[in-house]
Amino acid sequence: MPPGFGRRGLLAGAAGIALGGAFGAPVLAQGSRTLRVRFGSDISQLDPARIFQNENQSIAGHIYNGLVQYDQRTNEIVPDLATGHEVSADGTVWTFRLRPNVTWHKNYGAFTSDDVKFSLERVLDPATGSLYRGQLASVKEVQAPDPMTVRIVLNEPNSGFLHKVCAFNQGWLVSRRAVTEIGERYSMNPIGTGPFMFDRWTTGSEVRLVANPAYFGGASTLTDVIFRIVRDETAAAIALENRELDIFYALQSPDVIERLRRAQGITVLDRPSNNTVNLVLNTTVGPLRDVRVRRAMMHAMNRKALIDGFFRGTKFEATSVLTSTFQEFSEEGVPRYAFDPDRARALLREANVSNFRFEITTVGLNPFDRFPVALANDLQQVGIQATVRVLERGAYVQARSSGNVQSCITAVVGPPDPDSPLVTLYHTRSHPPGLNTSRYDRADALLAEAARATDAAGRKAAYGRLLRQTMEDLPVLPLYADRLFIAHGPTVQGFVQNSLFTVNVSPVSLRGA
């Protein structure tokens, strides 16, 4: 019997995942400083210009920094690679003072303003094919007047601009030298300035990061972090109970949540997230062009039963694509769509639509590969011939970004900046190969108005008008607002659950190590 296999490990192995042999001894050896984190899916892409998927983003968050960053606990924007900044009187020039004596991983030299200029211009370059080009649409020019100063010139004032250069997606900074020298292999050979360095990726098994001894914020007390891929949640729960894992990330199953809440020595954390899960409709194809059909679909889906039944109350109702975690969230005047199959049938008759064949494209991950079946059944009850197509992660991303789908299930995951999900879902700059799969084209002016607003009240008013409009037009159908669950074992100290649906263990230490 391999080391670490107990009876429970054997049972998990019989279910298709051999835990003990892969995870090592079930109890941490004295003095060990390796932290083991469960992932439910493999990674695929660690280039910030192209990154997508919260497992990739979780790894990237340990490797890269931004000019500024979100405080994990409060979402407040705080310094990162910039120690301070000034904004011109007209709001169009942002000058950042950079942190001195910061070095890139693996001897790639000193971090300078040229790296910032390269990083942002690379995202903006259409040849890069960045999913986040639209997020930097307000940037006119990036200047590097000296090695420790960056000046970003905007086309017009943007009150939320700091969110765009926070350490997330397009805000993560890369080394010009590393990207240039490593070339096409860079996406899985990342170089950053963060607290951990990329060591290795074993496809389908694990990712290993090692502590950066030269990290400007001080070296971690951990020696390394192993992100283990354990797809089955019950198997991952057993591993956490057996001390074969330290942190259980992306906990979704209501049964497993309840199990771990009862388990001795296990802490289960939960927090409302910045994330909604939605059905995006391609408004340029067939009957989906007609808003009456889109409204019929919204009335046909029993979203409350989905939350109360399938998710057993572990999710919240969504009234738009923003959640209540955003300061700019508003329900004032936003249309609501009750579950009303009769109204759905009437709208379809009014639109002269019958025998409509409709395909929901989703990703093969729990719960996204399961709950759409219930939605398809609801749609079938009103006469829409709905089916579900489940794709593995890479194929799903390709299908969605191509825009050649009738619909797709998508989670709007990201920072506490309303512009981020709203630009991604609704701006014309995000049309495929971006993530505006609906090809919606009526949001640009309101997004620009929100960006020009000089105070919080003005931003909230503009975003409120956009939420009302998009819930009238329904290019995207909100299904539920997410609630995040993460569990950890008794040796974990200092862990903070964020609201971005990523896991960041940078502040963690291990008790007794």
Side-chain angles (χ1 to χ4, degrees):
M1 183 177 292
F5 263 82
R7 182 174 299 277
R8 302 175 88 176
L10 282 173
L11 290 173
I17 299 176
L19 290 175
F23 284 63
V27 179
L28 283 173
Q30 186 66 31
S32 169
R33 291 186 290 137
T34 297
L35 185 76
R36 301 155 303 175
V37 181
R38 178 262 182 174
F39 271 0
S41 179
D42 206 353
I43 66 168
S44 59
Q45 170 66 263
L46 297 174
D47 180 347
R50 302 183 178 96
I51 202 165
F52 187 73
Q53 176 189 341
N54 43 36
E55 288 84 5
N56 292 327
Q57 291 160 331
S58 291
I59 297 294
H62 296 84
I63 295 171
Y64 297 111
N65 295 97
L67 289 173
V68 290
Q69 63 180 320
Y70 293 109
D71 180 279
Q72 296 281 302
R73 191 180 301 278
T74 67
N75 284 334
E76 180 184 357
I77 296 176
V78 296
D80 199 2
L81 287 175
T83 58
H85 69 274
E86 296 85 36
V87 186
S88 64
D90 67 357
T92 63
V93 181
W94 292 66
T95 303
F96 294 88
R97 301 182 303 277
L98 302 185
R99 189 180 299 275
N101 304 316
V102 175
T103 57
W104 292 101
H105 297 163
K106 302 179 182 180
N107 300 315
Y108 272 93
F111 162 74
T112 71
S113 59
D114 179 65
D115 295 307
V116 181
K117 177 178 171 65
F118 173 78
S119 298
L120 300 181
E121 290 179 345
R122 182 168 175 260
V123 171
L124 284 165
D125 185 353
T128 303
S130 175
L131 298 173
Y132 306 105
R133 184 169 170 245
Q135 297 293 331
L136 297 179
S138 62
V139 175
K140 179 180 180 180
E141 183 182 7
V142 183
Q143 303 170 354
D146 65 63
M148 291 291 103
T149 306
V150 171
R151 187 175 299 124
I152 302 175
V153 183
L154 306 184
N155 294 306
E156 56 187 1
N158 186 335
S159 58
F161 181 67
L162 270 186
H163 286 287
K164 305 305 180 188
V165 291
C166 256
F168 195 76
N169 291 345
Q170 76 284 340
W172 281 316
L173 300 175
V174 298
S175 157
R176 179 191 290 270
R177 178 185 162 194
V179 171
T180 303
E181 291 183 4
I182 297 172
E184 293 182 1
R185 297 181 298 109
Y186 181 82
S187 66
M188 294 309 297
N189 292 275
I191 299 296
T193 54
F196 290 89
M197 301 182 291
F198 184 82
D199 179 55
R200 67 171 184 263
W201 169 43
T202 305
T203 307
S205 178
E206 68 179 36
V207 180
R208 181 175 185 257
L209 305 181
V210 296
N212 174 14
Y215 179 52
F216 61 83
S220 172
T221 61
L222 304 173
T223 53
D224 58 341
V225 183
I226 305 293
F227 296 86
R228 309 270 192 190
I229 299 163
V230 186
R231 301 185 188 278
D232 182 81
E233 289 201 30
T234 300
I238 293 171
L240 187 66
E241 292 166 348
N242 285 351
R243 311 296 185 258
E244 297 166 350
L245 283 172
D246 301 299
I247 295 176
F248 186 142
Y249 167 64
L251 175 53
Q252 294 273 0
S253 167
D255 288 336
V256 176
I257 292 169
E258 186 58 32
R259 171 187 180 137
L260 291 178
R261 279 176 166 161
R262 296 194 306 264
Q264 186 176 2
I266 304 298
T267 300
V268 177
L269 303 174
D270 71 277
R271 177 176 183 172
S273 75
N274 309 326
N275 173 44
T276 56
V277 174
N278 309 273
L279 179 61
V280 179
L281 304 178
N282 186 338
T283 61
T284 67
V285 299
L288 295 176
R289 295 188 184 98
D290 193 322
V291 69
R292 292 171 296 187
V293 174
R294 303 196 294 271
R295 290 171 181 169
M297 297 173 77
M298 196 64 168
H299 281 299
M301 294 186 298
N302 194 341
R303 293 170 295 140
K304 186 176 188 303
L306 185 72
I307 294 168
D308 293 343
F310 185 91
F311 289 112
R312 308 229 303 266
T314 60
K315 308 297 181 185
F316 303 115
E317 181 185 5
T319 56
S320 69
V321 299
L322 292 189
T323 70
S324 59
T325 60
F326 291 90
Q327 291 184 349
E328 298 80 0
F329 173 77
S330 173
E331 295 179 315
E332 184 178 351
V334 175
R336 304 289 286 265
Y337 297 85
F339 173 57
D340 190 342
D342 289 337
R343 178 61 180 151
R345 294 185 189 98
L347 284 166
L348 291 173
R349 285 195 299 270
E350 189 178 314
N352 197 28
V353 169
S354 61
N355 296 318
F356 171 31
R357 295 187 178 276
F358 175 69
E359 183 177 72
I360 300 172
T361 298
T362 190
V363 65
L365 295 173
N366 181 41
F368 305 104
D369 57 348
R370 300 179 186 181
F371 76 77
V373 174
L375 302 180
N377 288 338
D378 287 343
L379 294 171
Q380 289 166 7
Q381 297 305 309
V382 301
I384 296 173
Q385 307 306 308
T387 57
V388 178
R389 177 174 64 147
V390 179
L391 301 177
E392 61 86 19
R393 197 58 159 289
Y396 166 82
V397 173
Q398 185 175 21
R400 182 186 174 188
S401 62
S402 74
N404 297 321
V405 293
Q406 278 186 305
S407 73
C408 62
I409 299 288
T410 187
V412 183
V413 182
D417 167 26
D419 208 50
S420 180
L422 296 176
V423 165
T424 296
L425 287 174
Y426 298 131
H427 202 287
T428 55
R429 284 183 181 245
S430 300
H431 278 185
L435 298 176
N436 180 354
T437 312
S438 71
R439 298 183 185 269
Y440 190 62
D441 61 3
R442 297 189 59 228
D444 292 12
L446 281 170
L447 286 166
E449 182 183 337
R452 287 192 300 268
T454 57
D455 57 23
R459 277 169 61 87
K460 184 168 184 174
Y463 286 127
R465 286 192 290 275
L466 179 57
L467 294 180
R468 289 193 293 274
Q469 176 183 295
T470 52
M471 287 304 291
E472 290 169 357
D473 293 348
L474 286 179
V476 176
L477 311 187
L479 301 176
Y480 61 85
D482 226 330
R483 183 174 168 191
L484 310 182
F485 293 88
I486 290 181
H488 67 73
T491 62
V492 172
Q493 299 182 105
F495 177 71
V496 176
Q497 183 187 28
N498 64 37
S499 66
L500 280 69
F501 220 137
T502 61
V503 58
N504 191 312
V505 302
S506 299
V508 167
S509 61
L510 289 171
R511 184 179 289 109

